[in-house]
Amino acid sequence: NAGVTQTPKFRVLKTGQSMTLLCAQDMNHEYMYWYRQDPGMGLRLIHYSVGEGTTAKGEVPDGYNVSRLKKQNFLLGLESAAPSQTSVYFCASTPLAALGEQYFGPGTRLTVT
Amino acid sequence: AQSVTQLGSHVSVSEGALVLLRCNYSSSVPPYLFWYVQYPNQGLQLLLKYTTGATLVKGINGFEAEFKKSETSFHLTKPSAHMSDAAEYFCAVNFYSNYQLIWGAGTKLIIKP
């Protein structure tokens, strides 16, 4: 099993550009999450999904959109990138019966200039 | 509001010395408790967890943590630090939610040779 994979690993955007980050998991997990990690601030939840076709806002959703059309994929979109969105983005997933056990991808390092 | 506090953003110990990373949560109801580890340029991985039962929990790589309800704490320890333990450690709690964790800000463990 590949576990949780993220594409791309690195990206540089100019202010105002858009992009989509892709997260894929092959473990048949129900729940999926997008986090951002900034120095000294730990992990902050952007959006999450409790199943195919459903999404919900987390702690810092502004400027981001998500979609989960297939159970194994969770996409994070930035419609108009801003320098404040420079961060490392992590995707994670959790199986139905494992409260709190999250499986993380390797991360995407995004720089917005 | 429910929260998780990790004391010390950086902890430095000598190789072979005791590792102690502190985590406290604020809640009158004991949650499920987790420690995650993040090695440089990687995603997070589960180190250990407490849900019910024995309050002393053993994890991977020789780490263990003890849940103390009276102190609302879940401190992480390792008797003898190794250079490979250098990483960032995150405490997280789940208050019986199906899908959300509350994260501490993280503690970076530095091992001195």
Side-chain angles (χ1 to χ4, degrees), chain B:
Chain B
Q2 297 160 335
S3 64
V4 178
T5 302
Q6 291 185 240
L7 189 63
S9 59
H10 292 77
V11 169
S12 181
V13 303
S14 297
E15 191 173 19
L18 172 71
V19 175
L20 171 61
L21 304 182
R22 300 177 188 273
C23 173
N24 289 87
Y25 64 90
S26 63
S27 172
S28 58
V29 177
Y32 295 158
L33 297 150
F34 304 82
W35 277 99
Y36 283 79
V37 60
Q38 183 181 29
Y39 297 105
N41 300 312
Q42 294 186 26
L44 284 73
Q45 63 182 91
L46 183 65
L47 196 57
L48 50 78
K49 67 177 180 180
Y50 169 79
T51 54
T52 59
T55 56
L56 182 62
V57 179
K58 294 188 186 300
I60 60 173
N61 301 334
F63 283 91
E64 61 183 35
E66 186 171 12
F67 168 54
K68 292 188 177 180
K69 183 179 176 181
S70 61
E71 298 177 7
T72 61
S73 69
F74 191 54
H75 300 332
L76 182 70
T77 60
K78 182 174 181 178
S80 178
H82 192 272
M83 295 300 291
S84 60
D85 295 327
E88 190 158 17
Y89 293 80
F90 292 90
C91 181
V93 301
N94 178 299
F95 291 102
Y96 312 112
S97 163
N98 280 337
Y99 39 82
Q100 287 201 47
L101 287 177
I102 298 175
W103 294 89
T107 297
K108 191 159 287 187
L109 178 62
I110 300 160
I111 310 296
K112 297 179 291 186

Side-chain angles (χ1 to χ4, degrees), chain A residues 41-65:
Chain A
M41 302 190 74
L43 289 171
R44 292 184 290 170
L45 183 64
I46 304 171
H47 286 279
Y48 63 95
S49 168
V50 300
E52 182 179 316
T54 69
T55 63
K57 295 180 180 180
E59 181 186 354
V60 289
D62 293 343
Y64 305 95
N65 57 74

